[in-house]
Amino acid sequence: MSEAWAITVLTAALGWAAWELRAIRNTLNRFVNKEDCSAAMNGHCLEIRNLWSETRKQGERIARLEK
């Protein structure tokens, strides 16, 4: 097997892998809408902020009770 043949085979394999990754990406784009995902993440962020606020309030309450 010559060097040129090896380079050709490697290039073909990399091209095939890139094509398959592109196909997977396109398939996944049909299942996950970016706007839906962003809206869901914003909702989770709001919930986490609320939980953090409530945790701080309860922590302060516990600290007052322990005095």
Side-chain angles (χ1 to χ4, degrees), residues 7 10 13 21-22 40 42 45-46 48-49 51-52 55 58:
I7 291 172
L10 180 62
L21 288 173
R22 182 178 175 271
N42 287 337
C45 185
L46 181 61
I48 291 170
R49 285 187 182 133
L51 286 171
W52 183 247
T55 301
Q58 295 300 326

Side-chain angles (χ1 to χ4, degrees), residues 56-67:
R56 278 188 276 147
K57 287 177 189 175
Q58 295 300 326
E60 292 169 0
R61 182 174 171 237
I62 291 169
R64 283 193 305 266
L65 290 173
E66 288 180 348
K67 285 184 180 181

